[in-house]
Amino acid sequence: FFFFFFFFFFFIEKLFSSALEYIRPSPRLFHRALQHIVLKAKQSESESMTTESYDKDVPAGRHVHRRTREKSSHHNQKLNKTEKKKFGNIRRLRRTVSRKSLELLNDGKRFREDLTPWMKTIWVKLRLNSRRNLTDQKDYLENVYAPQAKVYDRMRAKGFLWGRKPMLASCAERLTDSYDSRRQSQLGDLVWVDLGGGTAENISLMSKYIPLKCFKSIYVVDLCSSLCDIAKQKVEENGWTNVHVVEGDASLFVPDEGTADLVTFSYSLSMMRDPFNTIDKMFSYLDPNVGVVGVADFYVSAKFDYPHRQMSYFNRFLWKSIFDIDNIELGPERRQYLDHRLVRVFEYNSSGTIPYIPFIKAPYYTWVGVPPTDANVERAEAEEKRSRPMTFPPTFIYSVNWEDPIVDKPILKIGPEDVVLTLTSGGCNTLHLAAHGAKHVASVDLNPAQSALCELKVQAIKRLEYEDVWKMFGEGKHENIAEIFESKLAPWLSQGSLNFWSKKLHYFQDGLYYHGAMGKVLLAVYWLQVVFGYRKKFLRFTSAKTIEEQREIWTSFWFVKLFLFMPNLVFTFMQYILTLIFLNKAVCWLGLGVPPRQYNLIGSDGRGMCEYAGATLNGAAMNTLMSNDNYFYKVCLTGSFTKDSCPEYLKESCFKKLKDGLVENISVHTDYFGSVLALRKYTKVILMDHVDWLNDDLVEQLAAGLEKQVVPGGRIIWRSASLNPPYTKVFAKHGFEVQCVHRITDKEHNGCIDRVNMYASFWYADRKTK
């Protein structure tokens, strides 16, 4: 395998070298061509100057004299003779050599400069690997990196050391954490030690995440002389007065200050011959209270490892064998020792491309930890790997909650001692509960994408300013989302959320609320408005100043008139056709989030889906004002919120309360509802319409769990698509007093029980004390 691997790259290198030699012009011809271009440019400039001076003397509207044109032609012939005498008979280039052509030639030359040392490096590594016992580590590093030192950073910049930026961003965020006053007070006096820092490229990268003036001293420690020379040159060119390049062994180094606030290993820990002593030595000067350690490297997992690290036998063997050629030890022992000595606060495992090698991705990890003596950190369990259920789409279903929190508020009566369990959905109501002072809000969803959305909202509130949060979740678009995500949000997200959002950031470029399962339905609604010429009218509908104006616009739509005044026989036939095509079980589940069991509950009340949907929309349109109140349908019709009509967490006053600390009371779980229910006792539980989704056995299990985990006097609330859901009797049997708040058929509500108006009934139940 290694024999084939080497000769494959040897053949590729020769192929590219030959091709570049073939297409590269000879130096003499290239030099003559450039001189010719310069001469022609000067000639054009002199002609334009002659024309300008002549135009000043010639009256307007007069033609240039023939004698002048002949003189100019004679001048050109004279220049042509001068060219021939100086350059010989060369082909006129004119437009055949463009600036773009020269750029391509330079790119080809640069590509050859990059590729040649890469291939030579592979040859050196193979030879040194066969006699590794004959060279010490310093000699080995020098022989490997000396040929590529000048192009080292450029080679890696093409995409190889993928974990380096995430590691530096995560470390920078921990050092500047606004929720930790200890760290804020130390900015300006920080000491950073970069072990195996090579060319000091990490210093350049770190400056994008934290000002270098925040560090009193930065030490770049490396054993390779050639890389240290490049680092010293870079320090001098950039004027980094606080950066010191140290050529030496990382296992022996101690900073002059005696302590360090940040220690990093950027793809160096796996190359160290004595990594455990290096880590132990690091502990002798790492600040025990606020120190941060960051590691980025390639890896293979142990045979039995944490879920997000775990690899198959083939991958473990393959990558360990390949990197062994490079004298890089990818075993899991180094990271396990870090886990043992430090408290892990961030970890991301992924794979990245390798320059000039297609279709293959090398596994890498980013790891950040703090000392166990840090009083603000507790050791947490490794994150579980959660996959979406097969029946769920590969994205979130809901981008907003579809339960009206204003109606919930007087029923729940959230207080400072309440521990609340809620389903996540779009995450809006989770934030609403925290903003109203709940002691703790546990938010759970079985769909990992819904958890990722809620987690992003939580971290955005904690780490970003109001205007950035508004652009992301109010307007649904942000022009700098990639930069903000990399530097501010990604360092605080879980592995599952990072996996999701690293592939879905384009949502914030196209419009967040046109993505997700329901978003695709809204996108279809948008194009229907455009195709049938109703877009402007719907915008007037959503921006009407009064309810009377809104009703007038709503009832002027032909389809609304048809729905309201259609004869029963015709309506029955139309409902059958529309249900069959647009409101069948598949569309309702994948597009609207209505599962088959809930679909059947609606039918059990004698209602068809077409009539159900029509009554929902008509009730909301006739009784709630979209422009400043009903943000649910505002976002459906326009693709964004306004500051007058938006969820409460997007209002600046609520945002400030959350950012000041209330958002810290939220925990997000990707799990079954019953599993999170069993974790602690709760005073309030919000079931949303979750029980509509469950079969009889699961309803029985849920009721038993609620009986056990809800404290006496605690309250649960839920909504149902049915007027009389059958499971209310099950809750009563398990120690709850059940009450119906309202039904859609109640006359006093006029067909509209809240701003969403999507459910047929709303219920609560109190846990009996005895």
Side-chain angles (χ1 to χ4, degrees):
F1 173 80
F2 298 126
F3 183 79
F4 170 78
F5 186 77
F6 164 68
F7 277 101
F8 171 75
F9 285 108
F10 181 77
F11 171 74
I12 292 293
E13 194 271 338
K14 289 297 181 186
L15 180 65
F16 276 113
S17 298
S18 301
L20 290 170
E21 287 291 344
Y22 179 75
I23 66 172
R24 187 178 63 176
S26 66
R28 182 170 176 270
L29 178 60
F30 191 74
H31 179 66
R32 286 166 59 190
L34 287 177
Q35 284 185 321
H36 181 74
I37 291 170
V38 172
L39 184 62
K40 295 299 285 184
K42 289 181 178 179
Q43 177 185 339
S44 301
E45 184 178 355
S46 63
E47 286 180 356
S48 63
M49 292 175 64
T50 304
T51 305
E52 287 175 5
S53 60
Y54 178 76
D55 287 343
K56 292 177 182 177
D57 301 327
V58 177
R62 296 286 299 275
H63 294 289
V64 179
H65 198 274
R66 180 178 176 182
R67 188 174 178 182
T68 307
R69 292 198 300 269
E70 289 175 353
K71 187 175 180 180
S72 176
S73 175
H74 177 71
H75 177 70
N76 288 340
Q77 289 176 5
K78 191 174 181 180
L79 280 174
N80 291 341
K81 289 178 181 178
T82 306
E83 289 177 25
K84 284 185 178 181
K85 187 175 180 180
K86 188 172 183 179
F87 298 112
N89 281 321
I90 64 172
R91 181 182 175 186
R92 286 186 174 277
L93 296 178
R94 296 181 185 275
R95 294 187 181 182
T96 57
V97 176
S98 64
R99 182 178 296 177
K100 190 170 184 181
S101 302
L102 293 176
E103 287 177 358
L104 287 172
L105 288 171
N106 288 333
D107 288 344
K109 184 179 179 182
R110 192 179 299 112
F111 174 72
R112 187 170 185 272
E113 288 175 353
D114 288 355
L115 187 61
T116 301
W118 186 273
M119 294 303 174
K120 286 181 179 178
T121 298
I122 292 175
W123 171 248
V124 170
K125 289 171 182 174
L126 284 169
R127 294 194 64 186
L128 291 178
N129 186 67
S130 63
R131 1 172 248 191
R132 64 175 71 186
N133 295 328
L134 302 180
T135 58
D136 64 15
Q137 178 74 343
K138 183 176 177 62
D139 292 338
Y140 174 81
L141 292 173
E142 188 63 28
N143 284 323
V144 169
Y145 290 112
Q148 56 172 303
K150 292 183 179 180
V151 296
Y152 182 89
D153 292 329
R154 202 163 71 213
M155 289 165 61
R156 270 66 181 174
K158 291 181 182 296
F160 187 40
L161 308 183
W162 291 99
R164 185 162 58 177
K165 286 184 179 181
M167 181 268 289
L168 293 173
S170 298
C171 291
E173 279 295 289
R174 264 74 192 178
L175 292 174
T176 59
D177 187 1
S178 59
Y179 289 89
D180 191 339
S181 58
R182 303 171 307 161
R183 300 190 185 281
Q184 293 293 313
S185 62
Q186 289 196 328
L187 294 179
D189 292 321
L190 299 173
V191 176
W192 173 19
V193 177
D194 190 16
L195 298 175
T199 62
E201 182 64 14
N202 284 347
I203 313 301
S204 300
L205 295 174
M206 180 64 97
S207 64
K208 298 177 182 178
Y209 307 118
I210 180 175
L212 295 183
K213 64 182 180 181
C214 292
F215 295 98
K216 180 172 67 176
S217 297
I218 301 174
Y219 295 92
V220 179
V221 184
D222 204 281
L223 198 58
C224 179
S225 301
S226 298
L227 296 183
C228 285
D229 291 340
I230 299 295
K232 291 173 183 176
Q233 180 183 344
K234 196 176 293 185
V235 169
E236 185 178 351
E237 289 174 354
N238 288 279
W240 294 331
T241 56
N242 58 343
V243 179
H244 314 284
V245 179
V246 180
E247 182 181 334
D249 192 335
S251 64
L252 303 175
F253 175 78
V254 176
D256 293 341
E257 292 77 5
T259 61
D261 302 280
L262 173 63
V263 180
T264 54
F265 298 85
S266 179
Y267 291 88
S268 57
L269 190 61
S270 58
M271 297 191 71
M272 293 178 179
R273 296 283 176 90
D274 197 3
F276 306 112
N277 280 340
T278 303
I279 294 172
D280 290 339
K281 187 68 175 179
M282 173 200 72
F283 262 93
S284 69
Y285 55 82
L286 181 68
D287 191 308
N289 297 315
V290 294
V292 177
V293 178
V295 184
D297 219 325
F298 301 108
Y299 82 100
V300 296
S301 72
K303 184 174 182 180
F304 302 103
D305 216 326
Y306 294 137
H308 284 286
R309 299 180 186 178
Q310 191 64 58
M311 289 180 172
S312 65
Y313 169 79
F314 174 77
N315 280 327
R316 294 199 307 273
F317 170 77
L318 174 69
W319 291 112
K320 191 173 175 63
S321 303
I322 289 175
F323 277 88
D324 187 70
I325 298 173
D326 204 0
N327 270 2
I328 295 177
E329 175 56 55
L330 293 196
E333 299 82 11
R334 288 163 168 78
R335 187 158 39 157
Q336 289 173 341
Y337 192 60
L338 287 169
D339 285 332
H340 172 68
R341 294 298 306 269
L342 294 151
V343 178
R344 181 181 63 256
V345 294
F346 176 80
E347 181 176 278
Y348 181 60
N349 302 275
S350 187
S351 58
T353 56
I354 306 172
Y356 314 117
I357 303 177
F359 314 120
I360 299 177
K361 292 185 177 182
Y364 72 89
Y365 72 92
T366 298
W367 189 97
V368 178
V370 297
T373 50
D374 190 329
N376 287 7
V377 177
E378 294 181 1
R379 193 177 295 273
E381 294 294 327
E383 181 185 344
E384 290 292 328
K385 195 171 185 178
R386 300 291 184 183
S387 300
R388 65 181 177 88
M390 289 295 293
T391 54
F392 280 55
T395 183
F396 47 79
I397 298 175
Y398 314 101
S399 50
V400 296
N401 273 88
W402 284 92
E403 290 78 21
D404 191 347
I406 298 300
V407 177
D408 294 355
K409 188 176 179 180
I411 304 299
L412 285 172
K413 299 177 182 177
I414 296 295
E417 297 302 317
D418 279 323
V419 179
V420 185
L421 175 62
T422 181
L423 284 151
T424 301
S425 188
C428 308
N429 288 3
T430 298
L431 294 164
H432 182 274
L433 291 165
H436 283 269
K439 183 179 180 180
H440 182 78
V441 181
S443 187
V444 58
D445 206 293
L446 193 55
N447 186 351
Q450 298 291 167
S451 297
L453 177 61
C454 185
E455 195 176 332
L456 187 70
K457 289 180 178 180
V458 168
Q459 293 303 333
I461 290 172
K462 293 172 72 173
R463 310 298 167 187
L464 304 180
E465 297 302 321
Y466 173 73
E467 285 304 319
D468 288 321
V469 174
W470 172 256
K471 286 182 180 180
M472 287 178 65
F473 301 107
E475 299 173 6
K477 295 181 181 180
H478 199 299
E479 65 278 7
N480 296 323
I481 185 60
E483 179 183 344
I484 285 176
F485 182 79
E486 178 190 40
S487 61
K488 297 294 183 183
L489 299 175
W492 301 99
L493 295 177
S494 64
Q495 168 94 52
S497 295
L498 269 173
N499 288 342
F500 179 81
W501 286 114
S502 60
K503 301 173 185 176
K504 308 289 186 183
L505 277 185
H506 64 276
Y507 283 11
F508 294 99
Q509 295 168 346
D510 309 333
L512 173 66
Y513 299 108
Y514 288 133
H515 286 283
M518 185 169 284
K520 296 306 179 187
V521 175
L522 301 186
L523 187 61
V525 170
Y526 167 81
W527 282 111
L528 285 173
Q529 294 175 40
V530 172
V531 170
F532 290 102
Y534 280 114
R535 181 62 179 167
K536 290 183 179 179
K537 192 171 182 179
F538 268 108
L539 291 176
R540 284 196 294 113
F541 169 73
T542 57
S543 58
K545 300 299 182 184
T546 63
I547 192 67
E548 290 77 15
E549 181 186 354
Q550 180 178 292
R551 286 172 180 169
E552 184 179 351
I553 298 171
W554 174 251
T555 53
S556 67
F557 287 110
W558 65 266
F559 50 84
V560 175
K561 293 178 181 178
L562 192 65
F563 174 79
L564 294 176
F565 305 112
M566 188 186 303
N568 288 337
L569 186 62
V570 178
F571 179 78
T572 302
F573 174 75
M574 287 298 296
Q575 179 170 243
Y576 176 78
I577 298 298
L578 291 174
T579 302
L580 188 66
I581 300 173
F582 298 110
L583 294 171
N584 55 66
K585 287 186 178 182
V587 172
C588 285
W589 167 233
L590 296 175
L592 300 175
V594 179
R597 190 169 293 277
Q598 191 174 51
Y599 191 99
N600 294 334
L601 273 177
I602 294 171
S604 67
D605 285 339
R607 306 179 69 186
M609 278 304 299
C610 188
E611 182 271 329
Y612 189 95
T616 295
L617 297 175
N618 187 64
M622 296 294 286
N623 296 281
T624 62
L625 192 59
M626 306 288 165
S627 60
N628 61 11
D629 185 29
N630 195 334
Y631 62 81
F632 300 96
Y633 293 105
K634 175 88 172 180
V635 74
C636 288
L637 296 172
T638 64
S640 63
F641 298 110
T642 64
K643 291 188 178 180
D644 291 328
S645 184
C646 63
E648 193 167 356
Y649 78 94
L650 288 174
K651 295 182 178 179
E652 196 163 4
S653 58
C654 183
F655 170 84
K656 189 176 185 308
K657 288 196 296 183
L658 287 167
K659 192 175 184 69
D660 286 346
L662 292 179
V663 73
E664 293 276 9
N665 299 333
I666 296 173
S667 62
V668 182
H669 307 265
T670 304
D671 209 336
Y672 289 96
F673 189 86
S675 300
V676 182
L677 177 64
L679 293 178
R680 58 176 69 86
K681 299 289 184 178
Y682 298 94
T683 59
K684 305 287 168 59
V685 177
I686 302 166
L687 297 170
M688 296 186 180
D689 64 334
H690 174 61
V691 195
D692 279 1
W693 298 36
L694 306 179
N695 60 38
D696 294 341
D697 292 338
L698 292 176
V699 169
E700 187 69 33
Q701 292 177 25
L702 174 63
L706 290 168
E707 182 182 15
K708 183 179 179 181
Q709 298 302 122
V710 176
V711 299
R715 176 168 288 186
I716 63 174
I717 67 169
W718 71 91
R719 288 172 169 83
S720 177
S722 173
L723 292 169
N724 294 289
Y727 48 78
T728 55
K729 296 177 182 178
V730 181
F731 289 143
K733 186 178 70 174
H734 283 273
F736 288 92
E737 293 181 2
V738 180
Q739 296 289 331
C740 179
V741 180
H742 48 228
R743 293 183 175 89
I744 194 72
T745 53
D746 295 342
K747 291 182 179 180
E748 62 269 25
H749 295 297
N750 196 27
C752 182
I753 58 176
D754 57 32
R755 292 177 295 180
V756 177
N757 203 40
M758 189 178 288
Y759 301 100
S761 57
F762 179 35
W763 303 75
Y764 74 88
D766 292 329
R767 177 78 168 83
K768 295 177 182 177
T769 54
K770 285 293 183 179

